[in-house]
Amino acid sequence: MSRKDWPLFEIFLRSRNGLNHKHVGSLHAADADMAIENARDAYTRRGEAVSIWAVPSSAIVASDPSDKDAYFEPLAEKVYRHPTHYDIPDEVKNI
Amino acid sequence: MYTQGLDIPKGDKSIPVAAHNSPEDLRFQARIDVDEKIEPRDWMPAAYRKTLIRQISQHAHSEVIGMQPEGNWITRAPTLRRKSILLAKVQDEAGHGLYLYSAAETLGISRDELVEQLLSGAAKYSSIFNYPTPTWADMGAIGWLVDGAAIMNQVPICRCSYGPYARAMVRVCKEESFHQRQGYEIMIALSRGTPEQKAMAQDALNRWWWPSLMMFGPSDKESLHSAQSMKWNIKRVSNDDLRQKFVDVTVPQAEFLGLTLPDADLKWNAETGHYDFGEIDWSELQNVIAGNGPCNKQRIKTRREAHENGAWVREAANVYADKQRARKAAAAA
């Protein structure tokens, strides 16, 4: 057996409490425990994290990049979803 | 380090330099031209993919092989502080190799293939790691010059068009700064020490100066693939421009140490605002890249042995993981 049997994990770090976990990269490991240990050595050598998530890469479901326009472009036209779309006279305060 | 990976010798046809005129190619180039990043699942020309795999994997291999010249001194570092620093630096290099292998894998090549390419000698790594490290001063010269040249090379890659490579480089560059500073600190200590220590620092500088300049790859006149790589925003500054920048910042640092750079032609040129320097011995670079440097064979042999000697650990980890899975499944049943 060689490393080719080791699955790929995506690694997410929370840099401090109050912030989201953020994707930082990936690594191979024999199992989830080893993924966490290796992530500590590979991605947190300078105190970058207070918490690590390791997610099997095969478990991630992603949108298709070729659908990007059809998926996300209509939202660019919906300017009324942003507060700056509305004209409020200057004399009206606190709004 | 390692724009050397983008400089493909004339006659090497492994990466096609075809005309890129299909609608997909034009759309792709338009995205690059407005500085958009390319992500793993986006469409990309086959040659772009191939060039990146080659460049990123050579970069990763360089980090992995780069552990050896310094690993040589971990047990003999002069103080506990220096030993801790050197250990941390070598561990960083392993880490950089891992970031980069992961980035290369997003392009559809497996880790096993990458490792195999290194061990079989099919893949190249930076020429600089084929030089020996006979004295402690080499640890100073490597940090100062080799890591300094690496930073100069790597900072522009943080803005390269391929997202995973650019992100890996941001991480690497943050960490490399410590590498260079610790090396320069070693050089300060030696150059302020006894005459013997200062002579040792000068000797290391004499041996590492020219190989460091060669790290930037062949001159722009000879570099076959630079133009395409520049067009794709993989490479953003030319070899000669980076090399000049490196010389310009390093000369005053050598003066501060009271050491002499081993180049009789080196002098300030007030007209250009840069230092002029002597011609590099390109035959030496070609010779080292061709596998005939002082340590090429030893480096690969050491790497192969490390891989073979670690086989039982990889197997044991697999057996353990299988056992844990079986136990969990039994407990759940």
Side-chain angles (χ1 to χ4, degrees), chain A residues 17-46:
Chain A
N17 278 6
L19 297 179
N20 295 328
H21 283 80
K22 198 174 155 200
H23 184 246
V24 291
S26 55
L27 51 75
H28 291 274
D31 59 21
D33 290 339
M34 189 198 247
I36 295 282
E37 285 166 15
N38 288 358
R40 188 201 58 182
D41 291 343
Y43 289 106
T44 73
R45 288 191 301 283
R46 286 171 177 78

Side-chain angles (χ1 to χ4, degrees), chain B residues 57 165 173-174 266 316:
Chain B
S57 63
Y165 191 28
C173 286
K174 271 190 202 161
L266 186 80

Side-chain angles (χ1 to χ4, degrees), chain B residues 128-196:
Chain B
I128 194 76
F129 300 116
N130 292 312
Y131 292 88
T133 49
T135 78
W136 171 251
D138 291 330
M139 300 303 98
I142 287 181
W144 171 34
L145 300 173
V146 174
D147 290 291
I151 292 170
M152 208 62 93
N153 249 325
Q154 288 172 155
V155 166
I157 310 177
C158 295
R159 296 181 291 119
C160 100
S161 60
Y162 189 58
Y165 191 28
R167 291 192 287 274
M169 289 322 297
V170 169
R171 246 164 207 294
V172 168
C173 286
K174 271 190 202 161
E175 299 181 351
E176 290 277 4
S177 172
F178 135 63
H179 296 183
Q180 191 188 16
R181 290 171 68 106
Q182 67 83 37
Y184 194 70
E185 199 200 64
I186 291 174
M187 295 304 275
I188 292 176
L190 290 172
S191 57
R192 289 180 182 167
T194 64
E196 288 84 356

